[in-house]
Structure formats: structure tokens, C-alpha cells
Amino acid sequence: MSNSNQSSRMEVPQAKESMDKFKMEVANELGVPLKNGYNGNLTSAQAGSVGGEMVRQMIKKQEQAMSGNSTSDETN
């Protein structure tokens, strides 16, 4: 059985504040009522949509950086 603290451990602890801000921005864009602290009222679909969108945006940004195109336009 895995320790939940270990699976949610930040690789770069200094990035925690920025990641929390990013998570709140994504939740707001998606209309998910995420708040600081306990969010047990969210459905798993709502919580998953925030995490999934965060990953999509991070991958897109990394792909752009790797291709030399670091523009931040929102084209989906």
C-alpha cells in the first residue's frame, strides 16, 4: 500500500506556491469550485478535470519550449 504523502510529494518544493496558483487558475477556467483547504465536496470528475487540464497545459508548454516556439497563445 502506497503512502499518499509520498505520491503527492513535490519534486521541487519551492514550486508548491506556483503550482497551487496554477491549479486554482485552471479550476477557475473550468468552472470547478476549488478552494484552499478541504475539497471533499467535489466530484471525482471535477477533481480529475482540473488535474488533467493542468497536465495538458504543462505538456503543451514543454512541447512549445522543445520546438523553439515558446508563445503562450491558447489554441486547442
Side-chain angles (χ1 to χ4, degrees):
M1 194 180 291
S2 173
N3 181 343
S4 64
N5 288 337
Q6 186 178 18
S7 66
S8 62
R9 177 178 53 93
M10 295 284 298
E11 291 295 325
V12 182
Q14 299 85 343
K16 182 169 178 18
E17 187 175 324
S18 293
M19 289 298 290
D20 287 343
K21 181 180 175 196
F22 179 44
K23 180 173 28 175
M24 296 303 276
E25 290 171 359
V26 168
N28 187 45
E29 289 173 11
L30 296 174
V32 174
L34 186 67
K35 59 186 183 296
N36 289 321
Y38 180 72
N39 283 284
N41 59 321
L42 297 180
T43 67
S44 54
Q46 288 173 310
S49 68
V50 173
E53 183 61 24
M54 287 175 69
V55 170
R56 278 188 287 280
Q57 288 185 23
M58 287 186 282
I59 290 171
K60 180 179 177 182
K61 187 168 190 142
Q62 184 61 33
E63 287 174 342
Q64 289 172 338
M66 292 171 73
S67 72
N69 178 10
S70 61
T71 61
S72 62
D73 66 329
E74 291 293 319
T75 54
N76 291 338

Short mmCIF file of all heavy atoms in Angstrom, two decimals:
data_model
loop_
_atom_site.label_atom_id
_atom_site.label_comp_id
_atom_site.label_asym_id
_atom_site.label_seq_id
_atom_site.Cartn_x
_atom_site.Cartn_y
_atom_site.Cartn_z
N MET A 1 0.85 -1.18 0.00
CA MET A 1 0.00 0.00 0.00
C MET A 1 0.89 1.24 0.00
O MET A 1 1.82 1.34 0.78
CB MET A 1 -0.91 -0.03 1.22
CG MET A 1 -2.04 0.98 1.12
SD MET A 1 -3.12 0.98 2.55
CE MET A 1 -3.94 -0.58 2.37
N SER A 2 0.60 2.18 -0.84
CA SER A 2 1.39 3.39 -1.02
C SER A 2 0.98 4.46 -0.02
O SER A 2 -0.19 4.61 0.30
CB SER A 2 1.23 3.91 -2.44
OG SER A 2 1.86 5.16 -2.58
N ASN A 3 1.94 5.22 0.45
CA ASN A 3 1.68 6.34 1.35
C ASN A 3 1.24 7.52 0.51
O ASN A 3 1.92 7.96 -0.39
CB ASN A 3 2.97 6.66 2.12
CG ASN A 3 2.81 7.80 3.09
OD1 ASN A 3 1.86 8.58 3.02
ND2 ASN A 3 3.75 7.88 4.01
N SER A 4 0.05 8.09 0.82
CA SER A 4 -0.48 9.18 0.00
C SER A 4 0.41 10.41 0.05
O SER A 4 0.47 11.17 -0.89
CB SER A 4 -1.91 9.53 0.42
OG SER A 4 -1.92 10.02 1.74
N ASN A 5 1.10 10.64 1.16
CA ASN A 5 2.01 11.78 1.24
C ASN A 5 3.17 11.62 0.26
O ASN A 5 3.63 12.58 -0.32
CB ASN A 5 2.56 11.96 2.65
CG ASN A 5 1.52 12.47 3.61
OD1 ASN A 5 0.54 13.08 3.20
ND2 ASN A 5 1.73 12.21 4.89
N GLN A 6 3.64 10.41 0.09
CA GLN A 6 4.74 10.15 -0.82
C GLN A 6 4.33 10.38 -2.27
O GLN A 6 5.08 10.95 -3.05
CB GLN A 6 5.24 8.73 -0.65
CG GLN A 6 6.48 8.43 -1.46
CD GLN A 6 6.99 7.03 -1.23
OE1 GLN A 6 6.27 6.17 -0.75
NE2 GLN A 6 8.23 6.79 -1.58
N SER A 7 3.12 9.99 -2.65
CA SER A 7 2.69 10.13 -4.03
C SER A 7 2.40 11.58 -4.40
O SER A 7 2.43 11.94 -5.56
CB SER A 7 1.46 9.26 -4.32
OG SER A 7 0.36 9.73 -3.57
N SER A 8 2.10 12.43 -3.41
CA SER A 8 1.81 13.82 -3.71
C SER A 8 2.98 14.74 -3.37
O SER A 8 2.83 15.95 -3.33
CB SER A 8 0.55 14.27 -2.96
OG SER A 8 0.77 14.19 -1.57
N ARG A 9 4.13 14.16 -3.14
CA ARG A 9 5.33 14.92 -2.79
C ARG A 9 5.81 15.72 -3.98
O ARG A 9 5.89 15.24 -5.10
CB ARG A 9 6.42 13.94 -2.34
CG ARG A 9 7.74 14.58 -2.02
CD ARG A 9 8.74 13.53 -1.55
NE ARG A 9 8.88 12.42 -2.47
CZ ARG A 9 9.80 12.35 -3.43
NH1 ARG A 9 10.66 13.31 -3.60
NH2 ARG A 9 9.86 11.29 -4.22
N MET A 10 6.12 16.98 -3.75
CA MET A 10 6.65 17.85 -4.81
C MET A 10 8.12 17.52 -5.03
O MET A 10 8.88 17.41 -4.07
CB MET A 10 6.53 19.32 -4.40
CG MET A 10 5.13 19.84 -4.24
SD MET A 10 4.27 20.15 -5.78
CE MET A 10 5.26 21.38 -6.53
N GLU A 11 8.52 17.34 -6.27
CA GLU A 11 9.93 17.12 -6.60
C GLU A 11 10.75 18.38 -6.34
O GLU A 11 11.91 18.31 -5.99
CB GLU A 11 10.08 16.67 -8.05
CG GLU A 11 9.55 15.30 -8.33
CD GLU A 11 10.30 14.20 -7.60
OE1 GLU A 11 11.53 14.32 -7.42
OE2 GLU A 11 9.65 13.24 -7.18
N VAL A 12 10.13 19.54 -6.56
CA VAL A 12 10.78 20.82 -6.30
C VAL A 12 9.88 21.58 -5.32
O VAL A 12 8.96 22.28 -5.73
CB VAL A 12 10.96 21.64 -7.60
CG1 VAL A 12 11.69 22.94 -7.33
CG2 VAL A 12 11.70 20.82 -8.65
N PRO A 13 10.12 21.41 -4.01
CA PRO A 13 9.24 22.01 -3.01
C PRO A 13 9.04 23.52 -3.17
O PRO A 13 7.99 24.04 -2.85
CB PRO A 13 9.93 21.69 -1.68
CG PRO A 13 10.76 20.49 -1.96
CD PRO A 13 11.18 20.62 -3.40
N GLN A 14 10.02 24.21 -3.72
CA GLN A 14 9.93 25.66 -3.91
C GLN A 14 8.85 26.02 -4.93
O GLN A 14 8.41 27.16 -4.99
CB GLN A 14 11.28 26.24 -4.38
CG GLN A 14 12.41 26.03 -3.40
CD GLN A 14 13.11 24.68 -3.55
OE1 GLN A 14 12.60 23.74 -4.16
NE2 GLN A 14 14.28 24.57 -2.95
N ALA A 15 8.39 25.06 -5.72
CA ALA A 15 7.38 25.32 -6.74
C ALA A 15 5.96 25.17 -6.22
O ALA A 15 5.01 25.44 -6.94
CB ALA A 15 7.59 24.39 -7.93
N LYS A 16 5.79 24.77 -4.96
CA LYS A 16 4.46 24.49 -4.42
C LYS A 16 3.51 25.68 -4.56
O LYS A 16 2.38 25.52 -5.01
CB LYS A 16 4.54 24.06 -2.96
CG LYS A 16 3.16 23.71 -2.41
CD LYS A 16 3.25 23.06 -1.08
CE LYS A 16 1.91 22.73 -0.46
NZ LYS A 16 0.74 22.68 -1.28
N GLU A 17 3.94 26.86 -4.20
CA GLU A 17 3.07 28.03 -4.28
C GLU A 17 2.62 28.30 -5.72
O GLU A 17 1.45 28.57 -5.98
CB GLU A 17 3.79 29.26 -3.72
CG GLU A 17 2.91 30.48 -3.60
CD GLU A 17 3.62 31.65 -2.94
OE1 GLU A 17 4.41 31.43 -2.01
OE2 GLU A 17 3.36 32.78 -3.38
N SER A 18 3.55 28.20 -6.66
CA SER A 18 3.21 28.41 -8.07
C SER A 18 2.26 27.34 -8.59
O SER A 18 1.33 27.63 -9.34
CB SER A 18 4.47 28.44 -8.93
OG SER A 18 5.24 29.56 -8.62
N MET A 19 2.48 26.10 -8.18
CA MET A 19 1.59 25.01 -8.61
C MET A 19 0.19 25.17 -8.02
O MET A 19 -0.81 24.93 -8.70
CB MET A 19 2.18 23.65 -8.22
CG MET A 19 3.39 23.26 -9.03
SD MET A 19 3.04 23.10 -10.79
CE MET A 19 2.04 21.63 -10.80
N ASP A 20 0.11 25.61 -6.77
CA ASP A 20 -1.20 25.86 -6.16
C ASP A 20 -1.94 26.96 -6.91
O ASP A 20 -3.15 26.86 -7.16
CB ASP A 20 -1.06 26.21 -4.68
CG ASP A 20 -0.68 25.02 -3.82
OD1 ASP A 20 -0.84 23.87 -4.27
OD2 ASP A 20 -0.23 25.25 -2.68
N LYS A 21 -1.22 28.02 -7.28
CA LYS A 21 -1.83 29.12 -8.03
C LYS A 21 -2.30 28.63 -9.39
O LYS A 21 -3.41 28.94 -9.83
CB LYS A 21 -0.82 30.26 -8.19
CG LYS A 21 -1.37 31.45 -8.93
CD LYS A 21 -0.33 32.55 -9.07
CE LYS A 21 -0.88 33.68 -9.91
NZ LYS A 21 0.14 34.58 -10.39
N PHE A 22 -1.47 27.84 -10.06
CA PHE A 22 -1.80 27.27 -11.37
C PHE A 22 -3.06 26.41 -11.25
O PHE A 22 -3.98 26.50 -12.07
CB PHE A 22 -0.61 26.47 -11.89
CG PHE A 22 -0.81 25.79 -13.21
CD1 PHE A 22 -1.40 26.44 -14.28
CD2 PHE A 22 -0.37 24.49 -13.40
CE1 PHE A 22 -1.57 25.81 -15.51
CE2 PHE A 22 -0.52 23.85 -14.61
CZ PHE A 22 -1.13 24.50 -15.67
N LYS A 23 -3.12 25.57 -10.21
CA LYS A 23 -4.28 24.70 -10.00
C LYS A 23 -5.55 25.53 -9.83
O LYS A 23 -6.60 25.20 -10.41
CB LYS A 23 -4.05 23.82 -8.77
CG LYS A 23 -5.18 22.90 -8.47
CD LYS A 23 -4.92 21.89 -7.36
CE LYS A 23 -3.97 22.28 -6.31
NZ LYS A 23 -3.85 21.31 -5.23
N MET A 24 -5.49 26.60 -9.06
CA MET A 24 -6.66 27.46 -8.84
C MET A 24 -7.09 28.15 -10.15
O MET A 24 -8.28 28.27 -10.43
CB MET A 24 -6.38 28.50 -7.76
CG MET A 24 -6.12 27.89 -6.38
SD MET A 24 -7.46 26.85 -5.79
CE MET A 24 -8.51 28.09 -5.09
N GLU A 25 -6.10 28.58 -10.95
CA GLU A 25 -6.42 29.22 -12.24
C GLU A 25 -7.11 28.25 -13.17
O GLU A 25 -8.11 28.60 -13.83
CB GLU A 25 -5.14 29.76 -12.89
CG GLU A 25 -4.55 30.96 -12.18
CD GLU A 25 -3.17 31.34 -12.71
OE1 GLU A 25 -2.64 30.67 -13.62
OE2 GLU A 25 -2.62 32.33 -12.19
N VAL A 26 -6.60 27.03 -13.25
CA VAL A 26 -7.20 26.01 -14.12
C VAL A 26 -8.62 25.68 -13.64
O VAL A 26 -9.55 25.60 -14.45
CB VAL A 26 -6.32 24.75 -14.19
CG1 VAL A 26 -7.05 23.59 -14.85
CG2 VAL A 26 -5.03 25.04 -14.94
N ALA A 27 -8.79 25.52 -12.33
CA ALA A 27 -10.12 25.22 -11.79
C ALA A 27 -11.09 26.33 -12.14
O ALA A 27 -12.24 26.07 -12.54
CB ALA A 27 -10.04 25.03 -10.28
N ASN A 28 -10.64 27.56 -12.03
CA ASN A 28 -11.50 28.71 -12.35
C ASN A 28 -11.88 28.69 -13.83
O ASN A 28 -13.04 28.92 -14.18
CB ASN A 28 -10.78 30.02 -11.99
CG ASN A 28 -11.67 31.22 -12.15
OD1 ASN A 28 -12.83 31.21 -11.74
ND2 ASN A 28 -11.13 32.27 -12.75
N GLU A 29 -10.91 28.42 -14.71
CA GLU A 29 -11.18 28.34 -16.15
C GLU A 29 -12.22 27.27 -16.47
O GLU A 29 -13.04 27.44 -17.37
CB GLU A 29 -9.90 28.01 -16.92
CG GLU A 29 -8.88 29.11 -16.97
CD GLU A 29 -7.56 28.66 -17.60
OE1 GLU A 29 -7.51 27.54 -18.18
OE2 GLU A 29 -6.58 29.41 -17.49
N LEU A 30 -12.18 26.16 -15.72
CA LEU A 30 -13.09 25.05 -15.97
C LEU A 30 -14.41 25.18 -15.22
O LEU A 30 -15.31 24.36 -15.40
CB LEU A 30 -12.41 23.73 -15.56
CG LEU A 30 -11.17 23.34 -16.35
CD1 LEU A 30 -10.53 22.10 -15.74
CD2 LEU A 30 -11.50 23.12 -17.81
N GLY A 31 -14.52 26.19 -14.36
CA GLY A 31 -15.74 26.37 -13.59
C GLY A 31 -15.87 25.40 -12.43
O GLY A 31 -16.97 25.13 -11.95
N VAL A 32 -14.75 24.86 -11.95
CA VAL A 32 -14.76 23.94 -10.83
C VAL A 32 -14.58 24.76 -9.55
O VAL A 32 -13.63 25.53 -9.43
CB VAL A 32 -13.62 22.89 -10.96
CG1 VAL A 32 -13.53 22.03 -9.72
CG2 VAL A 32 -13.84 22.03 -12.19
N PRO A 33 -15.48 24.61 -8.58
CA PRO A 33 -15.44 25.42 -7.36
C PRO A 33 -14.36 24.96 -6.37
O PRO A 33 -14.65 24.57 -5.23
CB PRO A 33 -16.85 25.26 -6.78
CG PRO A 33 -17.26 23.90 -7.22
CD PRO A 33 -16.64 23.73 -8.59
N LEU A 34 -13.12 25.03 -6.77
CA LEU A 34 -12.00 24.61 -5.94
C LEU A 34 -11.67 25.73 -4.97
O LEU A 34 -11.70 26.91 -5.33
CB LEU A 34 -10.79 24.32 -6.83
CG LEU A 34 -9.55 23.73 -6.16
CD1 LEU A 34 -9.85 22.32 -5.67
CD2 LEU A 34 -8.40 23.70 -7.15
N LYS A 35 -11.37 25.37 -3.74
CA LYS A 35 -10.97 26.36 -2.75
C LYS A 35 -9.78 25.83 -1.97
O LYS A 35 -9.48 24.63 -2.03
CB LYS A 35 -12.14 26.69 -1.82
CG LYS A 35 -12.68 25.50 -1.05
CD LYS A 35 -13.91 25.89 -0.26
CE LYS A 35 -14.45 24.76 0.58
NZ LYS A 35 -14.95 23.62 -0.13
N ASN A 36 -9.09 26.71 -1.28
CA ASN A 36 -7.98 26.28 -0.44
C ASN A 36 -8.53 25.43 0.69
O ASN A 36 -9.60 25.71 1.22
CB ASN A 36 -7.22 27.48 0.12
CG ASN A 36 -6.43 28.21 -0.94
OD1 ASN A 36 -5.84 27.59 -1.82
ND2 ASN A 36 -6.43 29.52 -0.88
N GLY A 37 -7.81 24.40 1.06
CA GLY A 37 -8.24 23.53 2.14
C GLY A 37 -9.02 22.33 1.62
O GLY A 37 -8.79 21.84 0.52
N TYR A 38 -9.97 21.91 2.41
CA TYR A 38 -10.74 20.70 2.11
C TYR A 38 -11.66 20.90 0.91
O TYR A 38 -12.39 21.89 0.83
CB TYR A 38 -11.57 20.32 3.34
CG TYR A 38 -12.40 19.08 3.16
CD1 TYR A 38 -11.81 17.83 3.11
CD2 TYR A 38 -13.79 19.17 3.03
CE1 TYR A 38 -12.56 16.68 2.93
CE2 TYR A 38 -14.56 18.03 2.86
CZ TYR A 38 -13.94 16.79 2.81
OH TYR A 38 -14.70 15.66 2.64
N ASN A 39 -11.62 19.95 -0.03
CA ASN A 39 -12.47 19.99 -1.23
C ASN A 39 -13.21 18.68 -1.43
O ASN A 39 -13.43 18.25 -2.55
CB ASN A 39 -11.62 20.32 -2.46
CG ASN A 39 -11.26 21.77 -2.53
OD1 ASN A 39 -12.09 22.60 -2.87
ND2 ASN A 39 -10.04 22.10 -2.18
N GLY A 40 -13.63 18.07 -0.32
CA GLY A 40 -14.33 16.79 -0.38
C GLY A 40 -15.68 16.86 -1.04
O GLY A 40 -16.28 15.84 -1.36
N ASN A 41 -16.17 18.07 -1.27
CA ASN A 41 -17.47 18.24 -1.92
C ASN A 41 -17.37 18.11 -3.44
O ASN A 41 -18.39 18.03 -4.12
CB ASN A 41 -18.08 19.60 -1.56
CG ASN A 41 -17.17 20.76 -1.97
OD1 ASN A 41 -15.95 20.67 -1.83
ND2 ASN A 41 -17.74 21.83 -2.46
N LEU A 42 -16.17 18.09 -3.99
CA LEU A 42 -16.00 17.97 -5.44
C LEU A 42 -16.23 16.52 -5.87
O LEU A 42 -15.86 15.59 -5.16
CB LEU A 42 -14.60 18.39 -5.87
CG LEU A 42 -14.20 19.83 -5.64
CD1 LEU A 42 -12.78 20.06 -6.12
CD2 LEU A 42 -15.15 20.79 -6.33
N THR A 43 -16.79 16.36 -7.05
CA THR A 43 -16.90 15.01 -7.61
C THR A 43 -15.53 14.59 -8.12
O THR A 43 -14.65 15.42 -8.37
CB THR A 43 -17.91 14.96 -8.76
OG1 THR A 43 -17.39 15.73 -9.86
CG2 THR A 43 -19.28 15.50 -8.34
N SER A 44 -15.35 13.30 -8.30
CA SER A 44 -14.08 12.83 -8.84
C SER A 44 -13.88 13.35 -10.26
O SER A 44 -12.76 13.62 -10.68
CB SER A 44 -13.97 11.31 -8.78
OG SER A 44 -15.07 10.71 -9.41
N ALA A 45 -14.96 13.53 -11.00
CA ALA A 45 -14.86 14.08 -12.36
C ALA A 45 -14.36 15.52 -12.32
O ALA A 45 -13.52 15.92 -13.14
CB ALA A 45 -16.21 14.01 -13.07
N GLN A 46 -14.86 16.32 -11.37
CA GLN A 46 -14.40 17.70 -11.25
C GLN A 46 -12.92 17.75 -10.89
O GLN A 46 -12.15 18.48 -11.51
CB GLN A 46 -15.21 18.45 -10.19
CG GLN A 46 -16.62 18.76 -10.60
CD GLN A 46 -17.42 19.35 -9.46
OE1 GLN A 46 -17.43 18.83 -8.34
NE2 GLN A 46 -18.09 20.46 -9.73
N ALA A 47 -12.54 16.98 -9.87
CA ALA A 47 -11.14 16.97 -9.44
C ALA A 47 -10.24 16.47 -10.55
O ALA A 47 -9.17 17.04 -10.81
CB ALA A 47 -10.99 16.11 -8.19
N GLY A 48 -10.67 15.43 -11.24
CA GLY A 48 -9.88 14.87 -12.33
C GLY A 48 -9.74 15.82 -13.49
O GLY A 48 -8.69 15.86 -14.15
N SER A 49 -10.78 16.61 -13.75
CA SER A 49 -10.71 17.55 -14.87
C SER A 49 -9.66 18.62 -14.61
O SER A 49 -8.96 19.04 -15.54
CB SER A 49 -12.07 18.19 -15.15
OG SER A 49 -12.47 19.06 -14.11
N VAL A 50 -9.52 19.04 -13.36
CA VAL A 50 -8.50 20.05 -13.03
C VAL A 50 -7.11 19.46 -13.24
O VAL A 50 -6.27 20.05 -13.92
CB VAL A 50 -8.68 20.57 -11.58
CG1 VAL A 50 -7.53 21.48 -11.19
CG2 VAL A 50 -10.00 21.29 -11.43
N GLY A 51 -6.87 18.29 -12.68
CA GLY A 51 -5.56 17.65 -12.83
C GLY A 51 -5.23 17.35 -14.29
O GLY A 51 -4.12 17.58 -14.75
N GLY A 52 -6.21 16.85 -15.02
CA GLY A 52 -6.00 16.52 -16.43
C GLY A 52 -5.66 17.75 -17.26
O GLY A 52 -4.77 17.72 -18.10
N GLU A 53 -6.38 18.84 -17.01
CA GLU A 53 -6.12 20.07 -17.76
C GLU A 53 -4.76 20.65 -17.39
O GLU A 53 -4.05 21.18 -18.25
CB GLU A 53 -7.22 21.10 -17.53
CG GLU A 53 -7.06 22.37 -18.32
CD GLU A 53 -7.06 22.17 -19.84
OE1 GLU A 53 -7.62 21.18 -20.33
OE2 GLU A 53 -6.51 23.04 -20.55
N MET A 54 -4.37 20.54 -16.12
CA MET A 54 -3.04 21.01 -15.72
C MET A 54 -1.96 20.26 -16.50
O MET A 54 -1.03 20.86 -17.03
CB MET A 54 -2.83 20.82 -14.21
CG MET A 54 -3.61 21.77 -13.34
SD MET A 54 -3.45 21.40 -11.59
CE MET A 54 -1.73 21.85 -11.31
N VAL A 55 -2.12 18.95 -16.59
CA VAL A 55 -1.14 18.13 -17.31
C VAL A 55 -1.12 18.51 -18.78
O VAL A 55 -0.05 18.68 -19.38
CB VAL A 55 -1.44 16.62 -17.12
CG1 VAL A 55 -0.58 15.78 -18.05
CG2 VAL A 55 -1.20 16.22 -15.67
N ARG A 56 -2.29 18.67 -19.41
CA ARG A 56 -2.34 19.06 -20.83
C ARG A 56 -1.61 20.38 -21.06
O ARG A 56 -0.85 20.52 -22.02
CB ARG A 56 -3.79 19.17 -21.30
CG ARG A 56 -4.41 17.84 -21.67
CD ARG A 56 -5.77 18.00 -22.32
NE ARG A 56 -6.80 18.40 -21.38
CZ ARG A 56 -7.43 17.56 -20.55
NH1 ARG A 56 -7.13 16.28 -20.55
NH2 ARG A 56 -8.36 18.00 -19.72
N GLN A 57 -1.86 21.36 -20.19
CA GLN A 57 -1.21 22.66 -20.36
C GLN A 57 0.30 22.58 -20.15
O GLN A 57 1.06 23.23 -20.87
CB GLN A 57 -1.84 23.70 -19.43
CG GLN A 57 -3.23 24.09 -19.86
CD GLN A 57 -3.82 25.21 -19.02
OE1 GLN A 57 -3.10 25.99 -18.40
NE2 GLN A 57 -5.14 25.30 -19.00
N MET A 58 0.73 21.78 -19.17
CA MET A 58 2.17 21.65 -18.93
C MET A 58 2.87 20.94 -20.10
O MET A 58 3.96 21.34 -20.51
CB MET A 58 2.43 20.91 -17.61
CG MET A 58 2.13 21.76 -16.40
SD MET A 58 2.58 20.99 -14.84
CE MET A 58 1.24 19.84 -14.60
N ILE A 59 2.23 19.92 -20.64
CA ILE A 59 2.80 19.21 -21.79
C ILE A 59 2.88 20.14 -22.99
O ILE A 59 3.90 20.19 -23.68
CB ILE A 59 1.99 17.93 -22.12
CG1 ILE A 59 2.20 16.89 -21.03
CG2 ILE A 59 2.37 17.39 -23.50
CD1 ILE A 59 1.29 15.68 -21.14
N LYS A 60 1.82 20.89 -23.24
CA LYS A 60 1.81 21.83 -24.36
C LYS A 60 2.94 22.84 -24.23
O LYS A 60 3.66 23.12 -25.20
CB LYS A 60 0.46 22.55 -24.44
CG LYS A 60 0.35 23.53 -25.57
CD LYS A 60 -1.01 24.19 -25.60
CE LYS A 60 -1.08 25.22 -26.71
NZ LYS A 60 -2.37 25.90 -26.72
N LYS A 61 3.10 23.39 -23.03
CA LYS A 61 4.16 24.38 -22.80
C LYS A 61 5.54 23.76 -23.03
O LYS A 61 6.42 24.37 -23.63
CB LYS A 61 4.05 24.95 -21.40
CG LYS A 61 4.98 26.09 -21.15
CD LYS A 61 4.64 26.81 -19.86
CE LYS A 61 5.43 28.07 -19.81
NZ LYS A 61 4.71 29.18 -19.25
N GLN A 62 5.74 22.53 -22.56
CA GLN A 62 7.03 21.87 -22.75
C GLN A 62 7.27 21.56 -24.22
O GLN A 62 8.39 21.73 -24.72
CB GLN A 62 7.10 20.59 -21.92
CG GLN A 62 8.44 19.89 -21.99
CD GLN A 62 9.59 20.74 -21.46
OE1 GLN A 62 9.42 21.53 -20.53
NE2 GLN A 62 10.75 20.60 -22.05
N GLU A 63 6.25 21.11 -24.93
CA GLU A 63 6.40 20.84 -26.37
C GLU A 63 6.78 22.11 -27.11
O GLU A 63 7.64 22.08 -28.01
CB GLU A 63 5.10 20.27 -26.95
CG GLU A 63 4.83 18.84 -26.55
CD GLU A 63 3.48 18.35 -27.01
OE1 GLU A 63 2.59 19.17 -27.34
OE2 GLU A 63 3.30 17.12 -27.05
N GLN A 64 6.15 23.23 -26.76
CA GLN A 64 6.47 24.50 -27.40
C GLN A 64 7.92 24.90 -27.11
O GLN A 64 8.63 25.35 -28.01
CB GLN A 64 5.52 25.60 -26.93
CG GLN A 64 4.12 25.44 -27.46
CD GLN A 64 3.12 26.42 -26.85
OE1 GLN A 64 3.34 26.94 -25.77
NE2 GLN A 64 2.02 26.63 -27.54
N ALA A 65 8.35 24.71 -25.86
CA ALA A 65 9.72 25.05 -25.50
C ALA A 65 10.72 24.17 -26.25
O ALA A 65 11.74 24.66 -26.73
CB ALA A 65 9.92 24.89 -23.99
N MET A 66 10.40 22.91 -26.40
CA MET A 66 11.30 21.98 -27.09
C MET A 66 11.36 22.26 -28.59
O MET A 66 12.37 22.00 -29.23
CB MET A 66 10.87 20.54 -26.84
CG MET A 66 11.07 20.12 -25.39
SD MET A 66 10.35 18.53 -25.00
CE MET A 66 11.50 17.45 -25.83
N SER A 67 10.28 22.81 -29.14
CA SER A 67 10.27 23.09 -30.57
C SER A 67 10.80 24.49 -30.88
O SER A 67 10.90 24.87 -32.04
CB SER A 67 8.84 22.96 -31.12
OG SER A 67 8.04 24.04 -30.67
N GLY A 68 11.11 25.25 -29.83
CA GLY A 68 11.61 26.60 -30.03
C GLY A 68 10.51 27.61 -30.18
O GLY A 68 10.76 28.79 -30.39
N ASN A 69 9.27 27.18 -30.06
CA ASN A 69 8.12 28.07 -30.17
C ASN A 69 7.54 28.26 -28.78
O ASN A 69 6.70 27.51 -28.35
CB ASN A 69 7.06 27.46 -31.10
CG ASN A 69 5.83 28.32 -31.22
OD1 ASN A 69 5.80 29.46 -30.77
ND2 ASN A 69 4.78 27.77 -31.83
N SER A 70 7.99 29.28 -28.07
CA SER A 70 7.56 29.47 -26.69
C SER A 70 6.44 30.48 -26.55
O SER A 70 6.28 31.11 -25.53
CB SER A 70 8.75 29.90 -25.83
OG SER A 70 9.28 31.13 -26.32
N THR A 71 5.62 30.64 -27.60
CA THR A 71 4.48 31.53 -27.50
C THR A 71 3.45 30.92 -26.57
O THR A 71 3.35 29.70 -26.46
CB THR A 71 3.83 31.81 -28.87
OG1 THR A 71 3.37 30.57 -29.41
CG2 THR A 71 4.81 32.48 -29.81
N SER A 72 2.66 31.74 -25.93
CA SER A 72 1.68 31.24 -24.98
C SER A 72 0.25 31.45 -25.46
O SER A 72 -0.65 31.62 -24.66
CB SER A 72 1.88 31.91 -23.60
OG SER A 72 1.68 33.31 -23.73
N ASP A 73 0.04 31.44 -26.77
CA ASP A 73 -1.32 31.60 -27.27
C ASP A 73 -2.15 30.36 -26.93
O ASP A 73 -1.65 29.28 -26.85
CB ASP A 73 -1.34 31.89 -28.77
CG ASP A 73 -0.84 30.72 -29.60
OD1 ASP A 73 0.03 29.99 -29.09
OD2 ASP A 73 -1.30 30.56 -30.74
N GLU A 74 -3.44 30.57 -26.72
CA GLU A 74 -4.33 29.48 -26.33
C GLU A 74 -5.06 28.94 -27.55
O GLU A 74 -6.14 29.40 -27.91
CB GLU A 74 -5.35 29.97 -25.30
CG GLU A 74 -4.72 30.29 -23.96
CD GLU A 74 -4.20 29.06 -23.26
OE1 GLU A 74 -4.87 28.02 -23.31
OE2 GLU A 74 -3.10 29.13 -22.69
N THR A 75 -4.48 27.97 -28.22
CA THR A 75 -5.14 27.32 -29.34
C THR A 75 -5.29 25.85 -29.01
O THR A 75 -4.31 25.16 -28.78
CB THR A 75 -4.33 27.47 -30.65
OG1 THR A 75 -3.01 27.01 -30.43
CG2 THR A 75 -4.33 28.92 -31.11
N ASN A 76 -6.51 25.37 -28.93
CA ASN A 76 -6.75 23.97 -28.59
C ASN A 76 -7.31 23.26 -29.77
O ASN A 76 -8.11 23.58 -30.47
CB ASN A 76 -7.71 23.87 -27.40
CG ASN A 76 -7.08 24.37 -26.12
OD1 ASN A 76 -5.85 24.41 -26.01
ND2 ASN A 76 -7.90 24.74 -25.16
#
